[in-house]
Amino acid sequence: MADRRGLRIALATGVLALVAAVVLLSRSRGPMLAPDFAVPDLDGHTVRLSALRGKVVLVNLWATWCPPCREEMPSMQQLWSRLHERDFELLAVSQDEDGADRVAEFVHEMKLSFPVLVDPQREVGDRYGVWGYPETFVIDRNGYVVERVIGPRDWTAPGEVAKLEALLAGATAGAPSRPVGLAPKASEG
């Protein structure tokens, strides 16, 4: 009887330790360097994220069959129209298995002019740990992910534009930006 009780205690302790380790490891320790990728656009030209270092980049992972993705595309187009002449890039990475033809139809239908990339093997989504669509990653000039957005967003909302404007106004080199939307610590002034 004592052996069973000891085994149960050991198993319970092991499970608690495992849960604690998972929680500690999954906590964000500040901005992470954005995983690099190279995928083709609709014209077949390869676009590499690391080549855009020095710019603020919005990486949006989406699919043509996704209603929330369709919902946010018009606001992304408006954001692109507003910011594309500055150091801003918007990369809409399609995760459609149907490939470029279906994506091109969607882009034409939605009248999109921002860069659309095609990743039917979902390599970019895998690197970023995406588990649903749309998911968007805001990347600062230094290549760090400063915000992860799960689900659709109105990218023309004043608060969203202000966050991106703040990143665009930031320094071009050095430490990663503070995650957007977070207040400075009291010691930082």
Side-chain angles (χ1 to χ4, degrees), residues 51-65:
L52 301 174
R53 191 75 43 92
K55 296 184 177 196
V56 173
V57 182
L58 199 79
V59 175
N60 176 263
L61 294 131
W62 65 284
T64 59
W65 48 261

Side-chain angles (χ1 to χ4, degrees), residues 78-97:
Q78 291 174 15
L79 180 70
W80 171 250
S81 295
R82 180 176 180 163
L83 300 178
H84 81 276
E85 292 181 358
R86 298 173 61 193
D87 284 338
F88 175 78
E89 288 291 337
L90 192 162
L91 302 177
V93 185
S94 168
Q95 303 288 276
D96 281 88
E97 294 175 356

